[in-house]
Amino acid sequence: MNAGPEISQAFIVCISAVFTQNILLTYFLGLCPFLGVSREVKTATGLGFAVIFVLTSTCMLNWLVYHYVLVPLNLEFFRFILFIIIIAAFVQLVEMVLDRYSPFLYQQLGVFLPLITVNCAILGASLFMVIRDYSFIVAVGYGFGSGLGWFLAIIAMAGIRQKLVNDRIPQGLQGPGITLIIAGLMALAFMGFSGVLQAR
Amino acid sequence: MVLEILVAVIVVSSIGTGLAALLSICEHFLANYGPCQININDERNITVKGGKDLLSMLVAEKIFIPSACGGRGTCGLCKLKVLEGAGPLLPTEEPYLEKDERESNIRLACQVKVRNDLSIDIPPELFAAREYICKCAEIADLTHDIKQFRFELVEPKEIDYIPGQYLQLLTPVYKKGGEEVYRAYSISSDPSEKHNIETIIRLVPGGICTTYCFEYLKVGDEVRINGPYGDFRLSETDAPIVFIAGGSGMAPIKCILHYMKNTANNRKATYYFGANKVNELFLLDQMKEFESDLADFRFVPVVAGPGENENWDGEVGLVTEAVRRDLANASEYEAYLCGSPGMIDAAIKVLAELGMKEERIFFDKFE
């Protein structure tokens, strides 16, 4: 088996998941933590890394479970339940391990894990990977790319919101209002990337 | 067909069970930090099993810290002082803590994990907050959409609170698909009456708790409340007082008036009560009683638009305009406002124009 073309496809899918098919700004998945935890760049960075990590690892795990357990048994329709169970269990497990053995990593990454356990971006990526029939390597690239796209979007949002702190925003738009408008503008800006890549 | 269903059930449940078992085992070995001591205000020690967050442990010990998001670190309400053992400040806490709070070791209880012995400081009034089981003893109609509820305390039998504080009422599941919720209501009763607690509630169309109180709650039913909470209270100065509150905002003001009567407080006080129609006024007899019992108290009902046949000879217009007519210079006064955010913001604006300093305005927004 020649892995060359697969790796290059994985790379293309990854880049496309970051820009043209950004899971947050194109599919609007994972909005809740995106709006809730984007007050400061530092916090957003931590959360972003946690999302990259969880997305990549759960895409791998779910791919294995789907193709080696569900497909042979004709139980594909159970993927919704199983994916979410696996994600939740995995996140809890990682949090426990970090908490116990690596205070530094726990401080930087672990504290964010409970916030994203049931983040729909995580489940969404796993489901997309099945719908689009990715191979394992491509699925890993896709998971990583989606996480990276989410990471970039929340950092950008946090940067903008930090700048907005001193601005005079009309009262009715303060807080979630202006944040949603910014998210919309960012989504429009990201639309500019479509057409750059036509990978699926 | 049967076989397929069987396989499906077995596969899904075994994966679920496997993961649950794995998690339990890990929790037993990894997240087991042994017994930890939490020292509260240097007065009380509680021993808990380490590994969870501080907020849920305190709730398990019946110490209620306010929290709106349920421990997800998004509301920033569960602040308390952790003197020792909390570890470094977490990035999830930073956005909610001001510089001076960080310096005085304030943390978010939902984010601090108990891994070792802790020493914490809880404001005494929060410490006083606990759960009370009561019996609904009386429901009185005040207007078409406002009722007064009296709850008789069953366990424990007495409650102490500072006049102006509120309690949280647990709404049980009363219809299919509902869930338990807590809603905050100000206490309106006489604080010397420790076996009973009263509150005034306005029906919010579609509101979970108010619908329950208006349509399902009956005299004799068991009611669970917790509290008291809140820092809305009478100051200890001699400044003359302006109370402004409409609708169910009367609750904390009424409680404060009872308290002033009990303590023979002779501060000059005027209570402006705003209503849209004459039939929205209530407890007028009670207010008359306060006028004769208190040294220098005046109740001024203000009706925005009295109906033609309502025969109203009192103040007309917006409550804020009535205040403006009465007070040329408010700088010596203190104001206590209670009610909807819109009303409070309008009143603050008028009072500021009349020369009242911000630190003399106290308010309780019903949101």
Side-chain angles (χ1 to χ4, degrees):
Chain A
M1 190 182 122
N2 186 1
E6 270 205 10
I7 290 177
S8 67
Q9 198 209 342
F11 182 72
I12 293 171
V13 166
C14 171
I15 299 295
S16 127
V18 176
F19 295 109
T20 53
Q21 312 237 5
N22 188 296
I23 195 142
L24 187 82
L25 294 171
T26 315
Y27 295 101
F28 293 104
L29 292 176
L31 268 183
C32 173
F34 176 66
L35 301 179
V37 195
S38 57
R39 287 198 202 178
E40 284 186 11
V41 173
K42 205 178 147 201
T43 330
T45 316
L47 184 69
F49 277 122
V51 168
I52 296 182
F53 170 71
V54 173
L55 257 177
T56 316
S57 11
T58 55
C59 268
M60 288 191 217
L61 269 178
N62 285 336
W63 193 92
L64 293 174
V65 170
Y66 184 77
H67 287 274
Y68 290 107
V69 181
L70 296 183
V71 172
L73 291 169
N74 284 327
L75 293 176
E76 289 93 337
F77 54 93
F78 265 129
R79 60 177 186 265
F80 294 94
I81 300 177
L82 277 183
F83 283 1
I84 200 85
I85 296 179
I86 290 168
I87 293 167
F90 173 76
V91 168
Q92 268 205 313
L93 209 65
V94 172
E95 194 206 351
M96 268 190 250
V97 173
L98 287 184
D99 194 3
R100 189 76 195 198
Y101 296 112
S102 173
F104 174 76
L105 266 183
Y106 180 75
Q107 160 105 8
Q108 301 299 323
L109 195 74
V111 286
F112 296 106
L113 289 175
L115 302 184
I116 52 170
T117 312
V118 282
N119 182 344
C120 47
I122 317 265
L123 180 64
S126 285
L127 293 173
F128 279 137
M129 137 199 117
V130 166
I131 294 169
R132 296 175 189 167
D133 211 10
Y134 287 148
S135 70
F136 183 73
I137 297 175
V138 180
V140 173
Y142 177 67
F144 179 76
S146 300
L148 192 62
W150 202 95
F151 173 88
L152 287 179
I154 195 170
I155 302 275
M157 171 60 97
I160 294 171
R161 283 184 73 177
Q162 265 188 355
K163 287 240 182 299
L164 279 185
V165 168
N166 296 325
D167 288 344
R168 283 156 43 104
I169 297 162
Q171 205 182 11
L173 281 179
Q174 281 169 11
I178 192 74
T179 315
L180 279 170
I181 291 178
I182 297 169
L185 290 175
M186 282 167 69
L188 281 178
F190 265 67
M191 274 175 73
F193 287 118
S194 64
V196 173
L197 272 174
Q198 290 293 340
R200 269 183 58 83
Chain B
M1 183 66 188
V2 177
L3 190 70
E4 262 176 35
I5 296 175
L6 218 60
V7 169
V9 170
I10 291 173
V11 167
V12 172
S13 22
S14 51
I15 292 182
T17 323
L19 286 171
L22 182 68
L23 277 181
S24 316
I25 294 169
C26 288
E27 200 170 319
H28 187 73
F29 289 106
L30 291 179
N32 183 358
Y33 293 86
C36 300
Q37 295 261 338
I38 303 180
N39 175 296
I40 303 168
N41 296 2
D42 269 334
E43 284 169 0
R44 190 173 144 195
N45 262 316
I46 53 175
T47 308
V48 295
K49 202 167 147 272
K52 285 225 180 72
D53 61 290
L54 182 57
L55 180 68
S56 54
M57 296 205 164
L58 290 174
V59 170
E61 291 291 323
K62 301 264 174 216
I63 299 169
F64 295 97
I65 311 283
S67 161
C69 67
R72 286 187 303 172
T74 54
C75 72
L77 285 179
C78 58
K79 289 177 185 172
L80 54 79
K81 205 180 244 189
V82 183
L83 302 171
E84 261 171 56
L89 193 68
L90 298 175
T92 36
E93 298 173 87
E94 279 172 15
Y96 301 97
L97 299 174
E98 303 293 332
K99 192 164 168 282
D100 55 325
E101 288 178 322
R102 294 179 197 196
E103 279 163 7
S104 53
N105 291 323
I106 304 275
R107 304 290 297 262
L108 295 188
C110 70
Q111 298 297 313
V112 172
K113 266 206 170 181
V114 182
R115 296 191 193 82
N116 40 30
D117 293 356
L118 284 182
S119 160
I120 62 175
D121 240 6
I122 300 178
E125 60 260 31
L126 271 187
F127 211 37
R130 54 161 301 168
E131 188 175 58
Y132 293 85
I133 299 172
C134 318
K135 199 178 80 183
C136 179
E138 194 186 332
I139 302 176
D141 286 318
L142 297 182
T143 71
H144 66 282
D145 67 346
I146 298 179
K147 284 182 200 278
Q148 177 169 277
F149 295 82
R150 182 162 66 83
F151 304 131
E152 202 178 287
L153 277 78
V154 176
E155 180 56 44
K157 288 192 176 323
E158 289 194 359
I159 184 167
D160 264 315
Y161 51 91
I162 300 166
Q165 286 191 301
Y166 64 88
L167 51 84
Q168 288 194 324
L169 179 67
L170 172 73
T171 316
V173 178
Y174 57 88
K175 64 177 179 203
K176 230 179 155 188
E179 53 181 338
E180 288 191 349
V181 296
Y182 283 100
R183 289 289 182 269
Y185 298 104
S186 290
I187 303 171
S188 65
S189 38
D190 182 343
S192 67
E193 174 61 61
K194 293 185 191 301
H195 303 291
N196 281 293
I197 200 151
E198 270 174 11
T199 184
I200 296 174
I201 301 179
R202 178 199 285 269
L203 178 65
V204 179
I208 300 174
C209 188
T210 60
T211 307
Y212 161 73
C213 292
F214 274 62
E215 289 172 18
Y216 294 85
L217 185 63
K218 298 276 174 297
V219 170
D221 286 358
E222 186 185 279
V223 177
R224 281 169 189 267
I225 60 173
N226 63 54
Y229 305 106
D231 48 14
F232 184 67
R233 65 191 57 171
L234 198 61
S235 72
E236 283 171 12
T237 63
D238 293 323
I241 301 168
V242 179
F243 294 114
I244 306 176
S248 54
M250 182 188 275
I253 310 291
K254 175 171 174 279
C255 185
I256 288 175
L257 290 169
H258 278 296
Y259 171 74
M260 288 177 70
K261 181 181 153 191
N262 297 344
T263 53
N265 190 324
N266 52 13
R267 284 168 75 171
K268 177 182 162 71
T270 317
Y271 177 8
Y272 297 90
F273 181 91
N276 286 323
K277 291 266 179 274
V278 176
N279 63 13
E280 288 176 12
L281 299 173
F282 57 86
L283 291 180
L284 298 177
D285 293 342
Q286 172 88 61
M287 292 298 138
K288 275 229 163 57
E289 224 175 277
F290 282 130
E291 282 185 329
S292 59
D293 291 342
L294 286 165
D296 191 355
F297 172 67
R298 203 156 61 88
F299 179 68
V300 185
V302 188
V303 178
E308 301 239 318
N309 45 14
E310 281 189 322
N311 195 12
W312 176 248
D313 57 0
E315 294 267 356
V316 174
L318 288 175
V319 70
T320 45
E321 296 313 308
V323 175
R324 203 196 287 274
R325 281 195 289 274
D326 270 11
L327 294 182
N329 178 0
S331 61
E332 294 302 309
Y333 286 73
E334 273 178 7
Y336 296 81
L337 321 174
C338 197
S340 66
M343 189 283 281
I344 288 182
D345 292 340
I348 290 177
K349 202 166 153 240
V350 169
L351 290 168
E353 284 166 20
L354 295 173
M356 189 176 288
K357 284 210 184 78
E358 206 180 299
E359 63 264 25
R360 284 174 166 262
I361 306 178
F362 307 95
F363 56 83
D364 190 359
K365 276 188 187 175
F366 288 4
E367 288 178 270

